[in-house]
Coordinates of all heavy atoms in Angstrom, one line a residue:
M1 N -3.1 15.4 1.6 CA -2.8 13.9 1.8 C -1.3 13.8 2.1 O -0.5 14.4 1.4 CB -3.2 13.2 0.6 CG -3.3 11.7 0.8 SD -3.7 10.8 -0.7 CE -5.4 11.1 -0.9
N2 N -1.0 12.9 3.1 CA 0.5 12.7 3.3 C 0.8 11.2 3.1 O -0.1 10.4 2.6 CB 0.8 13.1 4.7 CG 0.0 12.4 5.8 OD1 -0.4 11.3 5.6 ND2 -0.3 13.1 6.8
N3 N 1.9 10.8 3.5 CA 2.3 9.4 3.2 C 1.7 8.4 4.1 O 2.0 7.2 3.9 CB 3.9 9.3 3.2 CG 4.5 9.9 2.0 OD1 3.8 10.2 1.0 ND2 5.8 10.0 2.0
T4 N 0.9 8.8 5.0 CA 0.2 7.8 5.8 C -1.1 7.4 5.3 O -1.8 6.6 5.8 CB 0.1 8.2 7.3 OG1 -0.7 9.4 7.3 CG2 1.4 8.5 7.9
S5 N -1.5 8.0 4.2 CA -2.8 7.7 3.5 C -2.6 7.0 2.2 O -1.6 7.3 1.5 CB -3.6 9.0 3.2 OG -3.8 9.7 4.4
C6 N -3.4 6.0 2.0 CA -3.3 5.3 0.7 C -3.7 6.2 -0.4 O -4.7 6.8 -0.4 CB -4.3 4.1 0.8 SG -4.6 3.2 -0.8
P7 N -2.8 6.2 -1.5 CA -3.0 7.1 -2.6 C -4.2 6.6 -3.5 O -4.6 7.4 -4.3 CB -1.7 7.0 -3.4 CG -1.0 5.8 -2.9 CD -1.5 5.5 -1.5
L8 N -4.7 5.4 -3.3 CA -5.7 4.9 -4.1 C -7.1 5.1 -3.5 O -8.1 5.4 -4.2 CB -5.5 3.4 -4.4 CG -4.2 3.1 -5.2 CD1 -4.1 1.6 -5.4 CD2 -4.2 3.8 -6.5
C9 N -7.2 4.8 -2.2 CA -8.6 4.9 -1.6 C -8.6 6.0 -0.5 O -9.7 6.3 0.0 CB -9.0 3.6 -1.0 SG -8.0 3.1 0.4
G10 N -7.5 6.6 -0.1 CA -7.5 7.7 0.9 C -7.6 7.2 2.3 O -7.5 8.0 3.2
Q11 N -7.7 5.9 2.6 CA -7.7 5.4 3.9 C -6.3 5.3 4.5 O -5.3 5.4 3.7 CB -8.3 4.0 4.0 CG -9.7 3.9 3.4 CD -10.7 4.7 4.3 OE1 -10.7 4.5 5.5 NE2 -11.4 5.6 3.7
S12 N -6.2 5.2 5.8 CA -4.9 5.1 6.4 C -4.2 3.8 5.9 O -4.9 2.7 5.8 CB -5.0 5.0 7.9 OG -3.8 4.5 8.5
N13 N -3.0 3.8 5.5 CA -2.3 2.6 5.0 C -1.7 1.8 6.1 O -1.2 0.7 5.8 CB -1.3 3.0 3.9 CG -0.2 3.9 4.4 OD1 0.1 3.9 5.6 ND2 0.4 4.7 3.5
S14 N -1.7 2.3 7.3 CA -1.2 1.5 8.5 C 0.2 1.0 8.2 O 0.6 0.0 8.7 CB -2.1 0.3 8.7 OG -3.5 0.7 8.9
C15 N 1.0 1.8 7.5 CA 2.3 1.4 7.2 C 3.3 1.8 8.4 O 3.4 2.9 8.7 CB 2.8 1.9 5.9 SG 4.5 1.3 5.5
E16 N 3.9 0.8 9.0 CA 4.8 1.0 10.1 C 6.0 1.8 9.6 O 6.6 2.6 10.3 CB 5.2 -0.3 10.8 CG 4.1 -1.0 11.4 CD 3.5 -0.3 12.6 OE1 4.2 0.5 13.2 OE2 2.3 -0.5 12.9
A17 N 6.4 1.6 8.4 CA 7.6 2.2 7.8 C 7.4 3.7 7.8 O 8.4 4.5 7.8 CB 7.9 1.7 6.5
E18 N 6.2 4.2 7.6 CA 5.9 5.6 7.5 C 5.7 6.2 8.9 O 5.8 7.4 9.1 CB 4.6 5.9 6.7 CG 4.7 5.5 5.3 CD 5.6 6.4 4.5 OE1 6.1 7.4 5.1 OE2 5.9 6.1 3.3
R19 N 5.4 5.4 9.9 CA 5.1 5.9 11.2 C 6.3 6.1 12.1 O 6.3 6.9 13.0 CB 4.1 4.9 11.9 CG 2.9 5.6 12.4 CD 1.9 4.8 13.2 NE 1.8 3.4 12.8 CZ 0.7 2.7 12.7 NH1 -0.4 3.3 13.0 NH2 0.7 1.4 12.5
S20 N 7.3 5.3 12.0 CA 8.4 5.4 12.8 C 9.7 5.2 12.0 O 9.7 4.6 11.0 CB 8.4 4.4 14.0 OG 8.9 3.2 13.6
D21 N 10.8 5.7 12.6 CA 12.1 5.6 11.9 C 12.7 4.3 12.1 O 13.5 3.8 11.3 CB 13.1 6.7 12.4 CG 12.6 8.1 12.1 OD1 11.9 8.2 11.0 OD2 12.9 9.0 12.8
A22 N 12.4 3.6 13.2 CA 13.0 2.4 13.6 C 12.0 1.2 13.4 O 11.8 0.4 14.3 CB 13.5 2.4 15.0
V23 N 11.5 1.1 12.2 CA 10.6 0.1 11.9 C 11.3 -1.2 11.7 O 12.3 -1.3 11.0 CB 9.7 0.4 10.6 CG1 10.6 0.6 9.4 CG2 8.7 -0.6 10.4
S24 N 10.8 -2.3 12.3 CA 11.4 -3.6 12.1 C 10.5 -4.5 11.4 O 10.9 -5.5 10.7 CB 11.7 -4.2 13.5 OG 10.5 -4.2 14.3
D25 N 9.2 -4.2 11.4 CA 8.2 -5.1 10.7 C 7.0 -4.4 10.3 O 6.5 -3.5 11.0 CB 7.9 -6.3 11.7 CG 7.3 -7.5 10.9 OD1 7.6 -7.6 9.7 OD2 6.6 -8.3 11.5
C26 N 6.4 -4.7 9.2 CA 5.2 -4.1 8.7 C 4.6 -5.1 7.7 O 5.2 -5.9 7.1 CB 5.5 -2.8 8.0 SG 4.1 -2.0 7.2
W27 N 3.3 -5.0 7.6 CA 2.6 -5.9 6.7 C 3.1 -5.8 5.3 O 3.1 -6.8 4.6 CB 1.1 -5.7 6.8 CG 0.7 -4.3 6.2 CD1 0.5 -3.2 6.9 CD2 0.5 -4.0 4.8 NE1 0.2 -2.2 6.0 CE2 0.1 -2.6 4.8 CE3 0.5 -4.7 3.6 CZ2 -0.1 -2.0 3.6 CZ3 0.2 -4.1 2.4 CH2 -0.1 -2.7 2.4
C28 N 3.6 -4.6 4.9 CA 4.0 -4.4 3.6 C 5.3 -5.1 3.2 O 5.7 -5.2 2.1 CB 4.0 -2.9 3.2 SG 5.3 -2.0 4.1
F29 N 6.0 -5.6 4.3 CA 7.2 -6.3 4.0 C 6.9 -7.8 3.6 O 7.7 -8.5 3.0 CB 8.1 -6.4 5.3 CG 8.6 -5.1 5.7 CD1 9.3 -5.0 6.9 CD2 8.5 -4.0 4.9 CE1 9.8 -3.7 7.3 CE2 9.0 -2.7 5.3 CZ 9.6 -2.6 6.5
H30 N 5.7 -8.2 3.9 CA 5.3 -9.6 3.7 C 4.3 -9.8 2.5 O 4.2 -10.9 2.0 CB 4.7 -10.2 5.0 CG 5.5 -10.0 6.2 ND1 6.6 -10.8 6.4 CD2 5.4 -9.1 7.2 CE1 7.2 -10.4 7.5 NE2 6.5 -9.4 8.0
L31 N 3.6 -8.8 2.2 CA 2.6 -8.9 1.1 C 3.2 -8.2 -0.1 O 3.5 -7.0 0.0 CB 1.3 -8.2 1.6 CG 0.0 -8.6 1.0 CD1 -0.3 -10.1 1.2 CD2 -1.1 -7.7 1.5
P32 N 3.2 -8.9 -1.2 CA 3.8 -8.3 -2.4 C 2.9 -7.2 -2.9 O 1.7 -7.4 -3.0 CB 3.9 -9.5 -3.4 CG 3.0 -10.5 -2.9 CD 2.9 -10.3 -1.4
I33 N 3.5 -6.0 -3.3 CA 2.7 -5.0 -3.8 C 2.7 -5.1 -5.4 O 3.8 -5.0 -5.9 CB 3.2 -3.6 -3.4 CG1 3.5 -3.5 -1.9 CG2 2.3 -2.5 -3.9 CD1 2.3 -3.4 -1.1
P34 N 1.6 -5.3 -6.0 CA 1.6 -5.6 -7.4 C 2.1 -4.3 -8.2 O 1.6 -3.2 -7.9 CB 0.2 -5.9 -7.8 CG -0.6 -6.0 -6.5 CD 0.3 -5.4 -5.4
A35 N 2.9 -4.5 -9.2 CA 3.4 -3.4 -10.0 C 2.2 -2.7 -10.7 O 2.2 -1.4 -10.9 CB 4.3 -3.9 -11.1
E36 N 1.2 -3.4 -11.0 CA 0.0 -2.8 -11.7 C -0.7 -1.8 -10.7 O -1.2 -0.8 -11.2 CB -1.0 -4.0 -12.0 CG -2.0 -3.6 -13.1 CD -3.0 -4.7 -13.3 OE1 -2.5 -5.9 -13.4 OE2 -4.2 -4.4 -13.4
L37 N -0.7 -2.1 -9.4 CA -1.3 -1.2 -8.5 C -0.5 0.0 -8.3 O -1.0 1.1 -8.3 CB -1.5 -1.9 -7.1 CG -2.8 -2.5 -6.8 CD1 -2.9 -2.8 -5.3 CD2 -4.0 -1.6 -7.1
R38 N 0.8 -0.2 -8.3 CA 1.8 1.0 -8.1 C 1.6 1.9 -9.3 O 1.7 3.1 -9.1 CB 3.2 0.5 -8.1 CG 3.6 -0.1 -6.8 CD 5.1 -0.4 -6.8 NE 5.6 -1.1 -5.6 CZ 5.9 -0.3 -4.5 NH1 5.9 1.0 -4.5 NH2 6.4 -1.0 -3.4
S39 N 1.4 1.4 -10.5 CA 1.3 2.2 -11.7 C 0.0 3.1 -11.7 O -0.1 4.0 -12.4 CB 1.3 1.4 -12.9 OG 0.1 0.6 -13.1
R40 N -0.9 2.7 -10.8 CA -2.2 3.5 -10.7 C -2.1 4.7 -9.7 O -3.0 5.5 -9.6 CB -3.3 2.6 -10.2 CG -3.8 1.6 -11.2 CD -5.0 0.9 -10.7 NE -5.1 -0.5 -11.1 CZ -5.8 -1.5 -10.5 NH1 -6.5 -1.2 -9.5 NH2 -5.8 -2.7 -11.0
I41 N -1.0 4.7 -9.0 CA -0.8 5.9 -8.1 C -0.5 7.1 -8.9 O 0.4 7.1 -9.7 CB 0.4 5.6 -7.1 CG1 0.2 4.3 -6.3 CG2 0.6 6.8 -6.2 CD1 1.4 3.9 -5.5
P42 N -1.3 8.2 -8.6 CA -1.1 9.4 -9.3 C 0.4 10.0 -9.0 O 0.9 9.8 -7.9 CB -2.1 10.4 -8.7 CG -3.1 9.5 -7.9 CD -2.3 8.3 -7.6
D43 N 1.0 10.6 -10.0 CA 2.3 11.1 -9.9 C 2.6 11.9 -8.6 O 3.6 11.8 -8.0 CB 2.7 12.0 -11.1 CG 3.0 11.1 -12.3 OD1 3.3 9.9 -12.1 OD2 3.0 11.7 -13.4
A44 N 1.6 12.7 -8.2 CA 1.7 13.6 -7.0 C 1.9 12.8 -5.8 O 2.4 13.3 -4.8 CB 0.5 14.5 -6.9
H45 N 1.5 11.5 -5.8 CA 1.5 10.7 -4.6 C 2.5 9.5 -4.7 O 2.4 8.6 -3.9 CB 0.1 10.2 -4.2 CG -0.8 11.3 -4.0 ND1 -0.7 12.2 -2.9 CD2 -2.0 11.7 -4.6 CE1 -1.7 13.1 -3.0 NE2 -2.5 12.8 -4.0
R46 N 3.4 9.6 -5.6 CA 4.4 8.5 -5.7 C 5.2 8.5 -4.4 O 5.5 9.5 -3.9 CB 5.4 8.8 -6.8 CG 4.7 8.8 -8.2 CD 5.1 7.6 -9.0 NE 4.1 7.6 -10.1 CZ 3.7 6.5 -10.7 NH1 4.1 5.4 -10.3 NH2 2.8 6.6 -11.7
G47 N 5.5 7.3 -3.9 CA 6.2 7.2 -2.7 C 5.3 6.9 -1.5 O 5.8 6.4 -0.5
A48 N 4.0 7.2 -1.6 CA 3.1 6.9 -0.6 C 2.8 5.4 -0.6 O 2.8 4.8 -1.7 CB 1.8 7.7 -0.7
C49 N 2.6 4.8 0.5 CA 2.2 3.4 0.6 C 0.8 3.1 0.2 O -0.1 3.9 0.7 CB 2.5 2.8 2.0 SG 4.2 2.2 2.2
I50 N 0.6 2.1 -0.5 CA -0.8 1.6 -0.8 C -1.2 0.9 0.5 O -0.4 0.3 1.2 CB -0.8 0.7 -2.0 CG1 -0.4 1.5 -3.2 CG2 -2.2 0.1 -2.2 CD1 -0.1 0.6 -4.4
C51 N -2.5 1.0 0.8 CA -3.0 0.3 2.1 C -3.2 -1.2 1.8 O -3.3 -1.7 0.7 CB -4.3 0.9 2.6 SG -5.8 0.5 1.6
Q52 N -3.2 -1.9 2.9 CA -3.3 -3.3 2.9 C -4.6 -3.8 2.2 O -4.7 -4.8 1.5 CB -3.3 -3.9 4.3 CG -3.1 -5.4 4.4 CD -2.8 -5.8 5.8 OE1 -2.9 -5.1 6.8 NE2 -2.5 -7.1 6.0
N53 N -5.7 -3.0 2.5 CA -7.0 -3.3 1.9 C -6.9 -3.4 0.3 O -7.4 -4.3 -0.3 CB -8.0 -2.2 2.3 CG -9.0 -2.7 3.3 OD1 -9.0 -3.9 3.5 ND2 -9.8 -1.8 3.8
C54 N -6.3 -2.3 -0.2 CA -6.3 -2.3 -1.7 C -5.4 -3.4 -2.3 O -5.8 -4.0 -3.3 CB -5.7 -0.9 -2.1 SG -6.9 0.5 -2.0
V55 N -4.3 -3.7 -1.6 CA -3.5 -4.8 -2.1 C -4.2 -6.1 -2.0 O -4.2 -6.9 -2.9 CB -2.1 -4.9 -1.3 CG1 -1.3 -6.1 -1.7 CG2 -1.4 -3.6 -1.4
Q56 N -4.9 -6.3 -0.8 CA -5.6 -7.6 -0.6 C -6.7 -7.7 -1.7 O -6.9 -8.8 -2.2 CB -6.2 -7.6 0.8 CG -6.5 -8.9 1.3 CD -5.2 -9.6 1.9 OE1 -4.7 -9.1 2.9 NE2 -4.8 -10.6 1.2
Q57 N -7.4 -6.6 -1.9 CA -8.5 -6.6 -2.9 C -8.0 -7.0 -4.3 O -8.6 -7.7 -5.0 CB -9.1 -5.2 -2.9 CG -10.6 -5.2 -2.9 CD -11.1 -3.8 -2.6 OE1 -10.8 -2.9 -3.3 NE2 -11.9 -3.7 -1.5
Y58 N -6.8 -6.4 -4.6 CA -6.2 -6.7 -5.9 C -6.0 -8.2 -6.0 O -6.3 -8.8 -7.0 CB -4.9 -6.0 -6.0 CG -4.2 -6.3 -7.3 CD1 -4.4 -5.5 -8.5 CD2 -3.2 -7.3 -7.4 CE1 -3.8 -5.8 -9.7 CE2 -2.6 -7.6 -8.6 CZ -2.9 -6.8 -9.7 OH -2.2 -7.1 -10.9
W59 N -5.3 -8.8 -5.0 CA -5.0 -10.3 -5.1 C -6.3 -11.1 -5.1 O -6.4 -12.1 -5.7 CB -4.1 -10.7 -4.0 CG -2.7 -10.1 -4.1 CD1 -2.1 -9.3 -3.2 CD2 -1.8 -10.3 -5.2 NE1 -0.8 -9.0 -3.7 CE2 -0.6 -9.6 -4.9 CE3 -1.9 -11.0 -6.4 CZ2 0.5 -9.5 -5.8 CZ3 -0.8 -10.9 -7.3 CH2 0.4 -10.2 -6.9
N60 N -7.3 -10.7 -4.3 CA -8.6 -11.4 -4.3 C -9.2 -11.4 -5.7 O -9.8 -12.4 -6.1 CB -9.5 -10.7 -3.3 CG -9.1 -11.0 -1.9 OD1 -8.3 -11.9 -1.6 ND2 -9.7 -10.3 -0.9
N61 N -9.2 -10.3 -6.4 CA -9.8 -10.2 -7.7 C -9.0 -11.0 -8.7 O -9.6 -11.4 -9.7 CB -9.8 -8.7 -8.1 CG -10.8 -7.9 -7.4 OD1 -11.7 -8.5 -6.8 ND2 -10.7 -6.6 -7.4
K62 N -7.8 -11.2 -8.4 CA -6.9 -12.0 -9.3 C -7.3 -13.5 -9.3 O -7.1 -14.2 -10.3 CB -5.4 -11.9 -8.9 CG -4.8 -10.7 -9.4 CD -4.3 -10.9 -10.9 CE -3.7 -9.6 -11.4 NZ -3.7 -9.6 -12.9
E63 N -7.8 -13.9 -8.2 CA -8.1 -15.3 -8.0 C -9.4 -15.8 -8.6 O -10.3 -15.0 -8.8 CB -8.1 -15.7 -6.5 CG -6.6 -15.8 -6.0 CD -6.6 -15.7 -4.5 OE1 -7.6 -15.6 -3.8 OE2 -5.4 -15.7 -4.0
Ligands
LIG1 ZN1 -6.1 1.8 -0.2

């Protein structure tokens, strides 16, 4: 697994910041990543981006 895969579900995280060096915009700049989700990332995959799906799901469950 590399940093282009979500550490929680294994799907592509579609993070522009991981894909190119000259990133100007990415969904992850606009959607807050909950600290609770970050704490679920296994130590081996710290630094990898969570995918939009998992973040969205988290916020949906909150409501
Ligand atoms: Zn995910």
Side-chain angles (χ1 to χ4, degrees):
M1 196 184 285
N2 56 34
N3 282 354
T4 60
S5 301
C6 170
L8 297 179
C9 69
Q11 300 295 306
S12 167
N13 58 29
S14 308
C15 185
E16 297 295 333
E18 296 289 353
R19 234 187 326 220
S20 84
D21 295 331
V23 60
S24 54
D25 201 23
C26 175
W27 67 265
C28 67
F29 296 171
H30 306 286
L31 205 61
I33 312 288
E36 200 184 316
L37 264 193
R38 282 185 183 275
S39 70
R40 288 188 214 159
I41 302 176
D43 282 343
H45 299 298
R46 296 252 169 214
C49 270
I50 297 168
C51 75
Q52 192 169 9
N53 253 352
C54 285
V55 176
Q56 204 80 67
Q57 225 166 59
Y58 178 89
W59 291 122
N60 287 347
N61 289 339
K62 276 279 178 199
E63 285 162 0

